[in-house]
Amino acid sequence: MTGPAPTLPAATADLFGAVEQPPARVPLGPQAWLLRGFALPFVPALGATLRGVLRSAPFRHMQTPGGHTMSVALTNCGALGWTSDRHGYRYDPCDPATGQPWPPLPEAGLALAAEAARAAGFDGFVPDACLVNRYVPGARMSLHQDKNERDRTAPIVSVSLGLPAVFLFGGLARSDRAERHVLLHGDVAVWGGVDRMRYHGVLPLPAGTHPVVGAQRINLTFRRAG
C-alpha cells in the first residue's frame, strides 16, 4: 500500500508516555473525524469494565471464510457480536465458543460512543454491538468495509487504546488511495453518512510497550448492527 506519510498530532514527543496528545478534531472526510484524546477521560472506567467482559468472553483468533486465521484476536460485548468462520462473516447474539449471550455493553462504553458520535455530528447514537480487537506487534487488519450491519445509517465509533498504530482510511473502492493517520492512546475515529462505507484498515503494529495497556493495542469499535 502506497500513500502519503502518516499524519501526526501536534504533541508526539513521547508516544509511550502517560501524557498523550491534546484534544483536537481532525477531518478525515465530509462526515468522518479523528477526535484526538477524546476517550482519555473514559479510560479508567473502560479498563475496569473491559476486564469483566474478557472474563466472560476471552479474546480468540477467528477464521476467515477462506480458512485463514486472523492475526488480530477479538471478542465482543453487546446484544450482538461480530463473528467469522468458514460459513462467513455475521453478527450473532451468542458467543459461538460458549453458546451464551455476549456480555452487556459497559455503561462507560455507551457514554463514550454516544458523546464521540455527537461530537462528530451524529446525534442519538445508541450502539448494540462492540467489537473488541487486540493487536500485538505484527498484527494487522487489511482494508475492508464494515458492511455486515443491517443499520448503515448509524456511524462507526472506533476507540484506540495502548500502542500507536497507523490507520488506513481509503475510499469507497478498495483500489482508492488510503490516507495514513497515526492513532494514539485515547483517540477516537468516527465515520458515517457519505463516509460510512469507506475502506479502512491498520498496518502491522510496531513493537513497543504502553504504560497503561502494555505491549498491545486494544481497539473498541461501537456499531449499530441490528
Side-chain angles (χ1 to χ4, degrees):
M1 174 64 62
T2 60
T7 59
L8 297 173
T12 56
D14 185 1
L15 288 177
F16 304 100
V19 178
E20 302 291 341
Q21 70 286 358
R25 281 168 36 110
V26 179
L28 303 180
Q31 291 183 279
W33 294 90
L34 174 54
L35 309 176
R36 294 215 175 271
F38 194 93
L40 291 177
F42 298 85
V43 167
L46 275 177
T49 55
L50 186 57
R51 284 190 287 272
V53 168
L54 295 176
R55 282 194 294 269
S56 299
F59 284 118
R60 76 292 305 265
H61 293 272
M62 293 188 177
Q63 282 194 330
T64 68
H68 300 289
T69 300
M70 298 177 65
S71 64
V72 175
L74 62 87
T75 188
N76 294 276
C77 54
L80 294 170
W82 186 89
T83 65
S84 174
D85 57 24
R86 289 184 178 273
H87 299 291
Y89 305 120
R90 63 193 180 279
Y91 281 94
D92 196 307
C94 293
D95 183 344
T98 64
Q100 298 299 311
W102 296 102
L105 269 164
E107 290 297 324
L110 287 168
L112 169 56
E115 291 190 27
R118 187 179 304 113
F122 300 97
D123 291 329
F125 177 54
V126 181
D128 59 6
C130 177
L131 173 61
V132 186
N133 288 328
R134 181 183 67 186
Y135 293 75
V136 296
R140 62 186 292 271
M141 186 69 70
S142 60
L143 283 173
H144 65 283
Q145 295 171 304
D146 291 336
K147 58 184 179 181
N148 300 121
E149 299 75 25
R150 293 180 181 177
D151 184 356
R152 297 183 187 174
T153 64
I156 302 293
V157 176
S158 178
V159 180
S160 292
L161 303 173
L163 288 177
V166 176
F167 178 56
L168 302 173
F169 198 61
L172 298 178
R174 186 185 294 274
S175 59
D176 291 342
R177 188 184 70 175
E179 295 182 350
R180 300 183 178 194
H181 303 270
V182 175
L183 300 179
L184 301 183
H185 180 69
D187 286 350
V188 181
V190 183
W191 62 97
V194 297
D195 294 313
R196 173 62 178 76
M197 297 305 297
R198 287 176 65 165
Y199 279 85
H200 55 283
V202 177
L203 290 181
L205 189 73
T209 302
H210 190 274
V212 176
V213 182
Q216 60 184 344
R217 172 182 182 255
I218 304 296
N219 176 233
L220 298 88
T221 307
F222 296 91
R223 300 130 182 246
R224 184 74 193 172

